[in-house]
């Protein structure tokens, strides 16, 4: 079994690159899909991982609009 790059309770900065069929934002951590409620396309947010499944994780926004200079 390949280890997942995220675990429940961790925080990660994620760029929202796509929108899911239910309107959730989709971003990636080391090519692992993270679904983020209440995130919009093009936004960069800090998320707390709330659930990890075999092929994706779910996260909640804890801070929004992280800029990278």
């Amino acid at each position: 079994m390949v280890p997942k790059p995220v675990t429940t309770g961790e925080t990660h900065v994620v760029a929202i690159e796509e929108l899911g069929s239910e309107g959730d934002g989709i971003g990636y951590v080391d090519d692992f899909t993270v679904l983020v409620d209440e995130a919009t396309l093009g936004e960069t947010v800090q998320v707390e991982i709330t659930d990890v499944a075999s092929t994706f994780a779910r996260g909640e926004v804890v801070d929004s609009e992280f800029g990278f200079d």
Side-chain angles (χ1 to χ4, degrees):
M1 175 180 254
V2 176
K4 297 169 186 72
V6 299
T7 57
T8 302
E10 288 181 338
T11 60
H12 293 272
V13 175
V14 177
I16 304 302
E17 301 177 19
E18 304 171 47
L19 289 179
S21 60
E22 296 180 18
D24 44 351
I26 300 174
Y28 301 91
V29 174
D30 295 336
D31 295 324
F32 191 75
T33 303
V34 179
L35 305 176
V36 184
D37 290 336
E38 300 182 20
T40 58
L41 186 62
E43 188 176 31
T44 300
V45 293
Q46 183 175 24
V47 299
E48 180 177 343
I49 302 300
T50 57
D51 187 40
V52 180
S54 59
T55 59
F56 67 94
R58 290 196 175 275
E60 293 181 358
V61 175
V62 292
D63 203 353
S64 61
E65 289 306 319
F66 275 72
F68 295 98
D69 297 315

